[in-house]
Each structure stands twice: as C-alpha cells, then as structure tokens.
C-alpha cells in the first residue's frame, strides 16, 4: 500500500515546495555576493570552459574552495547566460529535489511514511531555507545538501546490504526484509564507495558537510541500530575515510579563509567568547525554528553577550540534553535528533 502512496506524496511535495518558491524565479541578482560568484566573476561569466574548470579546482571564490559550486554557476551561464531567472530556477529545482530526497531517505531508514512526509514538507517550506533557495550566491547550500542527502541514501543502502536485508525501525516496531528476499543482493562496498564519492562531491560544493561522519554514527545508533551488534570502535574505524575527507576539507577551508583575513585570532575573539556565542547560537537557532521572524543573511556578533543571556542559553542547552539522554531508551530518536542539531 505504501508503494502506491509514495508517488502521490512525492507529487504533493513537488507542488507544495515548487509553489512556495515559484515567486523566487523572476527575481534579479543582488549586489551582495552575487557579483563574487556570478555577475562580476570573469571565469564564471564565460560559461563552462576548460580554463574555467581548471580555475574552479585551483582557485577560490569569496575566500572558499568550492569547485563544484563554481562549475554549477558556469553551467547556468552556459544555459541561460546572465538572465537571473535561469539561475533562480536551478536553485529552486535543487531544493525541490532535496525535499523529495529527505522524504525518500527518511522513509527508507524508518519505514514511517507519514512522519517522513511531514518532516520533508517542513524541510521544504520552512522560512529558514529562503536564503539558501532564493539567493543565487547560496547555490553552494542547496547543492551541498543534494550530495549530503545522496550520501545518506548510499550509506543506508550500504548498511542494509551489509546485513543481507533491510531493517527499518519506526520507534515501536521493527520491519524485517524477509518479505523482500531480492533485497541485499548488491555488493555493500559499492554503496560504501558511492557514499564516500557523494560526500567528497558535497565537500567540494560547501565544506559545511564536515560533520557528516558524526551524523552517520548517530544513524548507526538509531534507526539503523548497528551499535548493538558492531560496537562503537568498529563503527568509528568504518568512518575513517569520511573523517579523513572532513579533516582535509577543514584544513583547506581554514587556510583559504585565513588567506583573505576572515579568521579571527584568539586575541581578537578569545575562546571563552566563542563558547558563550556557541550556546547563545543554539538557543537563537532553536528560536528561529519555532518562530522564524527577524531573519537575516547576517547576524552581527556583539562585543559581548549579556551574562544573563549566556546563562539562560546554557540552561536551555543543558535541560534539553538531559531530557534527550534520559529518554534515550524509550524514544531514541529524541537523542539522535538533538545531537544531530548540536
């Protein structure tokens, strides 16, 4: 029955998200970062050329090494020229595809069709994504998310083929693959290689994906339940290639951003201030999740957060952490979801 529902639900998500962002397509470029990536970028304005491809992999834009993102902008120029509607159309379509992938990957992991659809719909239309979808310079966000989700899909396929079957955990029941004997016939290393490939491509779109190995370990805990049979050390060693890619991407990002003076020294911004800001940021982003108002492309850092703000933010963080840990046996998804956010 679920198989008949899936195409209908995918069509509903396509209409919902596409309709929500349709008005972004006629928009123009803006003068914030769009010139750096597209309108005044000499290499990108030429479209897809061998010289441009070489530059994308050997150079930087806006202080970042993002060759795949730059290639996507070049491809847009190749197709649409400098007509902004085409660039916006690509970003909207990428976000729609990402929304469909959220639904399909969550359903594959948990077997919970309704809840997966709800989460995907929330992902697709939540206002915090407007910046990523409606701003051409944020192509790196929707593009990296595409490969992030493909990495999740490939990893889940790897784990399911590794056990010779599919285990879906909905939180109250476990569905075996006994009714689907054809599943598990593919070699698991194929999907492991695909996961690693997609992860590498995602890092070349935006290094934000560096936390992916930690996300995979969380999924091993729930809903894949691999911690029970494999053990923590095996699962950590299994992620070694992913951690190595994350380390390489982090190093490249640090060096390129330091080269354009966007990395604040510990003298200018001490470690204590960074920790305080981190706790406040957790609270503020939770606030944006439930009450998405006063959104901005940039949230300036004040000279110092008021001590009461820091204390309240830390108390909220501690309380939610305690709540998630205390319910880890009854509702493991709460702990996984909270640590995913953290």
């Amino acid at each position: 029955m679920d198989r008949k529902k899936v195409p209908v639900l995918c069509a509903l998500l396509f209409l919902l998200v596409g309709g929500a962002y349709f008005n972004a397509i006629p928009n123009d470029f803006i003068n914030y970062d769009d010139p750096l990536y597209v309108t005044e970028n000499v290499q990108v304005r030429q479209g897809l050329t061998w010289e441009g491809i070489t530059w994308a992999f050997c150079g930087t834009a806006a202080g970042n090494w993002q060759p795949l993102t730059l290639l996507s902008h070049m491809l847009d120029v190749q197709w649409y020229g400098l007509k902004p509607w085409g660039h916006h159309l690509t970003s909207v379509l990428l976000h729609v595809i990402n929304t469909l992938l959220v639904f399909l990957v969550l359903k594959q992991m948990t077997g919970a069709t309704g809840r997966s659809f709800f989460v995907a719909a929330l992902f697709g239309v939540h206002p915090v994504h407007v910046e990523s979808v409606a701003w051409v310079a944020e192509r790196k966000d929707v593009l990296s998310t595409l490969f992030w989700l493909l990495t999740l899909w490939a990893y889940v396929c790897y784990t399911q083929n590794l056990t010779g079957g599919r285990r879906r955990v909905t939180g109250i029941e476990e569905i075996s693959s006994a009714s689907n004997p054809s599943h598990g016939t593919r070699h698991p290393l194929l999907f492991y290689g695909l996961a690693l490939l997609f992860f590498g491509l995602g890092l070349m779109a935006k290094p934000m994906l560096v936390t992916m190995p930690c996300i995979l370990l969380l999924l091993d805990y729930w809903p894949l339940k691999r911690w029970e049979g494999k053990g923590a050390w095996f699962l950590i060693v299994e992620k070694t290639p992913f951690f190595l890619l994350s380390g390489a991407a982090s190093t490249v990002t640090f060096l390129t951003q330091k080269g354009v003076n966007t990395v604040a020294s510990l003298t200018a911004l001490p470690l204590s201030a960074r920790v305080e800001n981190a706790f406040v940021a957790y609270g503020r982003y939770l606030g944006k999740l439930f009450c998405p108002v006063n959104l901005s492309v940039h949230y300036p850092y004040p000279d110092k957060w008021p001590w009461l703000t820091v204390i309240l933010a830390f108390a909220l963080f501690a309380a939610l952490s305690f709540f998630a840990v205390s319910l880890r046996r009854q509702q493991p998804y709460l702990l996984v979801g909270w640590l995913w956010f953290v």
Side-chain angles (χ1 to χ4, degrees):
M1 192 67 179
D2 273 357
R3 289 185 178 181
K4 296 180 180 179
K5 291 180 181 178
V6 169
V8 176
L9 294 176
C10 286
L12 287 175
L13 285 173
F14 182 90
L15 293 174
L16 176 67
V17 181
Y21 282 97
F22 180 79
N23 286 336
I25 297 174
N27 289 343
D28 205 342
F29 294 112
I30 63 173
N31 61 3
Y32 187 32
D33 279 3
D34 283 357
L36 293 175
Y37 283 98
V38 182
T39 56
E40 294 180 12
N41 190 307
V42 177
Q43 297 291 348
V44 172
R45 286 170 59 95
Q46 296 176 21
L48 203 59
T49 64
W50 285 114
E51 180 185 352
I53 293 172
T54 303
W55 169 80
F57 280 94
C58 298
T60 61
N64 288 293
W65 185 72
Q66 303 165 339
L68 213 61
T69 295
L70 295 173
L71 292 179
S72 78
H73 287 306
M74 292 177 188
L75 196 57
D76 272 358
V77 173
Q78 190 74 30
W79 286 343
Y80 311 113
L82 290 175
K83 300 179 179 67
W85 69 266
H87 298 256
H88 285 298
L89 176 63
T90 299
S91 293
V92 170
L93 289 176
L94 282 171
H95 184 58
V96 171
I97 293 171
N98 289 343
T99 303
L100 296 176
L101 281 172
V102 169
F103 169 56
L104 295 173
V105 172
L106 287 178
K107 182 184 180 301
Q108 181 186 12
M109 285 194 294
T110 66
T113 303
R115 280 168 282 180
S116 298
F117 176 82
F118 173 77
V119 172
L122 184 63
F123 170 90
V125 301
H126 199 287
V128 297
H129 279 141
V130 170
E131 175 187 317
S132 300
V133 184
W135 183 15
V136 171
E138 275 300 289
R139 168 69 54 77
K140 53 185 178 287
D141 204 18
V142 288
L143 187 61
S144 64
T145 299
L146 172 66
F147 289 107
W148 182 80
L149 289 165
L150 288 174
T151 302
L152 287 185
W153 166 78
Y155 181 75
V156 173
C157 289
Y158 157 71
T159 61
Q160 290 173 348
N161 281 275
L162 195 64
T163 57
R166 181 180 309 187
R167 273 204 331 183
R168 296 172 175 172
V169 183
T170 65
I172 55 175
E173 63 179 341
E174 185 171 300
I175 304 172
S176 173
S177 64
S179 59
N180 186 12
S182 63
H183 190 84
T185 58
R186 299 183 182 89
H187 202 290
L189 289 181
L190 169 65
F191 290 106
Y192 186 90
L194 281 175
L196 205 56
L197 172 64
F198 290 139
F199 180 48
L201 292 173
L203 289 171
M204 288 193 288
K206 187 177 182 180
M208 178 179 65
L209 273 66
V210 293
T211 56
M212 174 62 80
C214 300
I215 299 298
L216 298 182
L217 286 170
L218 287 175
L219 295 179
D220 284 336
Y221 179 74
W222 185 91
L224 301 178
K225 290 192 171 181
R226 300 182 69 217
W227 285 50
E228 297 173 1
K230 297 292 185 180
W233 280 112
F234 172 86
L235 297 174
I236 292 173
V237 172
E238 181 188 56
K239 310 299 184 296
T240 298
F242 293 90
F243 279 112
L244 290 175
L245 282 179
S246 290
S250 299
T251 302
V252 170
T253 301
F254 176 79
L255 293 176
T256 54
Q257 293 197 350
K258 188 177 181 180
V260 293
N261 298 319
T262 58
V263 178
S265 67
L266 287 174
T267 303
L269 190 62
L271 182 61
S272 59
R274 297 168 191 253
V275 173
E276 291 175 357
N277 187 65
F279 283 118
V280 173
Y282 283 127
R284 295 185 76 194
Y285 274 104
L286 278 174
K288 301 296 183 186
L289 175 64
F290 292 101
C291 186
V293 298
N294 299 322
L295 299 175
S296 172
V297 297
H298 178 57
Y299 300 96
Y301 176 74
D303 291 336
K304 185 175 179 60
W305 287 111
W307 65 269
L308 183 59
T309 300
V310 176
I311 291 175
L312 290 175
F314 177 78
L316 176 65
F317 182 91
L320 289 174
S321 299
F322 176 80
F323 176 74
V325 171
S326 63
L327 292 177
R328 67 188 182 279
R329 298 191 184 279
Q330 300 95 318
Q331 284 92 25
Y333 50 84
L334 290 176
L335 179 61
V336 170
W338 173 242
L339 291 179
W340 187 321
F341 171 75
V342 171

